Amino acid sequence: MFGTESSLSMFLNTLTPKFYVALTGTSSLISGLILIFEWWYFRKYGTSFIEQVSVSHLRPLLGGVDSSSPTNSNTSNGEADSNRQSVSECKVWRNPLNLFRGAEYNRYTWVTGREPLTYYDMNLSAQDHQTFFTCDSDHLRPADAIMQKAWRERNPQARISAAHEALELEDCATAYILLAEEEATTIMEAERLFKQALKAGEGCYRRSQQLQHHGTQYEAQHRRDTNVLVYIKRRLAMCSRKLGRTREAVKMMRDLMKEFPLLSMFNIHENLLESLLELQNYADVQAVLAKYDDISLPKSATICYTAALLKARAVSDKFSPEAASRRGLSTAEMNAVEAIHRAVEFNPHVPKYLLEMKSLILPPEHILKRGDSEAIAYAFFHLQHWKRVEGALNLLHCTWEGTFRMIPYPLEKGHLFYPYPICTETADRELLPMFHEVSVYPKKELPFFILFTAGLCSFTAMLALLTHQFPELMGVFAKAFLSTLFAPLNFIMEKVESILPSSLWHQLTRI
């Protein structure tokens, strides 16, 4: 035993300060590399690599539940159900106020050199066009057969050429739609093409309406012609709104909703709400909200924040946070604050855009409800309406952050709505362009292993620097530290020596 201690002491005395510098420098380098990799992995995938490996691979080896047990089977089924629920929560919707590609998105690209739409977003639009504008009987009409292939084309010029080819054969409504959306460089030109599409679409709709009961093929054709007609009329109303003919746009939207009341998938009421707010016709806005702000219908940021705006309008011009803190909130002010909290809980990303704490970009063609994409789409069109109401943004600024004190954390359950889905960040990154910094809620806390490696890297780097600058002093500290570290072991060994017979201890040391 004493020979081991003497050899250890001799070994420690022979170590030079250069050894300690090399040791601490190497450990600092290794921990720094681990820190960089962990940070990159966390930024890309939202989780710690070490933690993921520990949970996925090491946990079963260290006594995890057997995969064949019924308990684990039930757990797996529960996880599968939660995964299916998260997928359904993260359904992507068509943006009701999406811009025109040729007249708006492409002009942005020409000016800035940036692409405002992602490939994923445009691919979803292509799928929508094939669903709404094609049917199984398209091969019976040559122009429709050409357009069926055109909607599947990835190259914009190939789609435009196919549309012109279809128009050479006959007046094809879907061909006019494609040219209005993608070739027209101004809203006026797009409106002219949509009017030609309306003339062709109404003729096809009347013919298919008379034949719809003659078989499933004619019924599918009539459904397609209905979708085409509704789409054309809605885009014509949007053209009128963009060209300043807002009252005309409101009339067209109301007529369209009366004519086709069952086609709620287009969410035309959101276009109507925006136009009514532009006219400052708040009574009609309230009437539309009373019809569509129903628990059986899927909510949207437009519904929730418009309801909050109307209630804020009643009190915002006289609202003062200092006066409210002295006398308390009145009933009307309390209703306005509760409406704001309701809206913020539904989509917590919107206030930063309305308060101009975050820069806006062009909205995508598809949005994720309760996500950053929906917040951008709402704020892009409705920021002007909040600015028009005196004091509304001030009331929002004073009260919106209070929402998070009422929402349970972690987000196992919501307060007024379902728990906030965890999949929004991934979907929004697919929908929004790379140059936009996606808003994330709730903010992800840094994993323990990133903090640990950061501390380890800093500590070892500091030790390496001190050892290089003060080699003798650090050598003394290192020897003192090692002596202190081995002191309990030496004490135990001395106690064992005193208890065991010397002959037995001698035989054990020889072994």
Side-chain angles (χ1 to χ4, degrees):
M1 180 63 188
F2 293 108
T4 306
E5 288 184 5
S6 60
S7 61
L8 179 61
S9 177
M10 186 180 300
F11 173 74
L12 293 176
N13 290 328
T14 56
L15 294 179
T16 63
K18 291 183 179 180
F19 170 80
Y20 294 108
V21 173
L23 179 64
T24 52
T26 304
S27 59
S28 176
L29 175 63
I30 294 174
S31 58
L33 293 175
I34 295 174
L35 173 63
I36 294 171
F37 175 76
E38 274 280 289
W39 178 255
W40 169 82
Y41 195 88
F42 174 73
R43 292 286 293 177
K44 187 171 183 180
Y45 300 105
T47 186
S48 165
F49 174 78
I50 300 176
E51 184 178 348
Q52 186 178 17
V53 170
S54 302
V55 172
S56 303
H57 302 287
L58 298 182
R59 192 185 203 172
L61 297 176
L62 298 176
V65 182
D66 184 30
S67 60
S68 61
S69 65
T71 305
N72 192 60
S73 174
N74 294 336
T75 305
S76 300
N77 292 336
E79 290 177 355
D81 291 340
S82 65
N83 289 338
R84 282 195 294 271
Q85 182 182 1
S86 66
V87 169
S88 63
E89 286 174 343
C90 289
K91 177 183 176 183
V92 176
W93 299 73
R94 183 84 177 174
N95 183 3
L97 290 89
N98 65 306
L99 306 178
F100 294 84
R101 279 199 195 175
E104 293 173 304
Y105 287 121
N106 286 350
R107 289 178 65 184
Y108 176 84
T109 304
W110 296 336
V111 173
T112 64
R114 290 176 167 181
E115 288 290 343
L117 298 176
T118 63
Y119 174 77
Y120 176 68
D121 192 15
M122 292 189 287
N123 188 47
L124 289 175
S125 297
Q127 295 176 22
D128 291 341
H129 295 152
Q130 292 174 49
T131 302
F132 293 142
F133 302 151
T134 64
C135 65
D136 295 336
S137 63
D138 281 344
H139 65 278
L140 300 176
R141 293 190 288 192
D144 287 336
I146 293 174
M147 288 308 300
Q148 191 175 47
K149 295 179 181 178
W151 293 120
R152 296 172 182 168
E153 282 285 349
R154 292 187 178 182
N155 187 353
Q157 291 303 319
R159 289 196 297 270
I160 292 172
S161 300
H164 283 294
E165 183 182 348
L167 288 175
E168 291 176 1
L169 299 177
E170 60 175 324
D171 265 2
C172 179
T174 53
Y176 283 121
I177 289 175
L178 193 147
L179 295 178
E181 292 284 354
E182 300 194 21
E183 189 182 43
T185 56
T186 63
I187 300 297
M188 293 183 68
E189 186 180 353
E191 184 182 38
R192 179 182 60 80
L193 289 167
F194 273 120
K195 287 180 178 179
Q196 292 177 276
L198 179 63
K199 184 178 179 181
E202 285 179 334
C204 292
Y205 175 76
R206 283 193 294 267
R207 287 192 295 270
S208 63
Q209 189 176 29
Q210 297 172 357
L211 302 173
Q212 62 176 315
H213 302 296
H214 291 191
T216 55
Q217 179 178 328
Y218 293 102
E219 185 180 351
Q221 189 172 339
H222 177 65
R223 192 183 307 114
R224 189 275 310 272
D225 292 338
T226 302
N227 290 336
V228 170
L229 186 62
V230 171
Y231 186 89
I232 293 170
K233 288 187 174 182
R234 175 172 163 269
R235 293 304 258 179
L236 275 172
M238 293 178 69
C239 287
S240 298
R241 166 69 183 92
K242 291 175 184 292
L243 293 172
R245 305 194 303 269
T246 310
R247 295 187 184 279
E248 179 184 338
V250 169
K251 183 179 183 306
M252 295 171 69
M253 292 174 192
R254 290 189 184 277
D255 293 342
L256 185 57
M257 293 169 67
K258 288 179 182 177
E259 188 178 359
F260 302 98
L262 299 179
L263 291 180
S264 59
M265 58 184 154
F266 289 102
N267 292 324
I268 304 170
H269 61 276
E270 296 199 7
N271 299 83
L272 179 61
L273 282 172
E274 196 279 326
S275 298
L276 290 173
L277 286 171
E278 176 64 21
L279 294 174
Q280 302 184 44
N281 194 342
Y282 297 110
D284 285 354
V285 172
Q286 185 62 59
V288 174
L289 284 177
K291 182 178 180 181
Y292 288 97
D293 193 4
D294 185 78
I295 194 169
S296 62
L297 294 172
K299 294 289 187 297
S300 67
T302 301
I303 294 290
C304 295
Y305 278 90
T306 303
L309 176 61
L310 291 189
K311 292 189 176 180
R313 176 176 169 269
V315 298
S316 60
D317 57 336
K318 300 177 182 178
F319 178 78
S320 168
E322 293 81 10
S325 62
R326 287 195 305 269
R327 58 174 170 77
L329 294 175
S330 64
T331 303
E333 290 173 338
M334 183 65 71
N335 291 336
V337 171
E338 288 177 354
I340 289 175
H341 287 174
R342 173 178 180 260
V344 174
E345 182 183 350
F346 183 84
N347 193 317
H349 309 285
V350 172
K352 288 188 177 181
Y353 293 107
L354 292 180
L355 298 172
E356 298 181 89
M357 300 163 63
K358 209 169 186 301
S359 59
L360 274 172
I361 60 171
L362 294 185
E365 293 183 336
H366 290 81
I367 59 173
L368 181 68
K369 289 194 174 183
R370 307 187 74 178
D372 191 32
S373 52
E374 184 192 35
I376 292 170
Y378 172 79
F380 185 85
F381 294 99
H382 288 262
L383 176 58
Q384 56 182 328
H385 307 316
W386 279 81
K387 287 183 174 180
R388 190 178 292 126
V389 176
E390 183 182 356
L393 290 175
N394 177 50
L395 179 61
L396 178 67
H397 174 73
C398 295
T399 58
W400 75 278
E401 290 182 330
T403 308
F404 306 115
R405 291 193 291 269
M406 300 186 302
I407 301 175
Y409 185 84
L411 304 175
E412 294 96 351
K413 58 181 181 178
H415 179 61
L416 299 173
F417 299 99
Y418 289 109
Y420 191 81
I422 59 175
C423 57
T424 54
E425 180 186 359
T426 304
D428 278 331
R429 290 192 190 281
E430 295 286 340
L431 289 170
L432 298 172
M434 292 291 293
F435 57 82
H436 173 71
E437 183 181 353
V438 175
S439 177
V440 179
Y441 175 81
K443 284 290 185 183
K444 293 181 179 177
E445 297 180 358
L446 287 177
F448 165 76
F449 289 105
I450 290 183
L451 299 175
F452 175 76
T453 51
L456 181 62
C457 177
S458 303
F459 178 70
T460 51
M462 182 183 66
L463 284 181
L465 180 63
L466 290 174
T467 306
H468 179 71
Q469 293 293 328
F470 311 103
E472 295 180 359
L473 182 61
M474 291 303 295
V476 172
F477 281 141
K479 292 173 184 177
F481 174 76
L482 291 175
S483 301
T484 307
L485 186 65
F486 285 107
L489 181 61
N490 293 335
F491 177 77
I492 294 173
M493 296 300 295
E494 290 175 359
K495 290 295 183 181
V496 170
E497 283 183 1
S498 62
I499 294 172
L500 293 178
S502 58
S503 58
L504 178 60
W505 181 250
H506 181 68
Q507 294 295 328
L508 290 175
T509 53
R510 289 182 62 184
I511 293 174

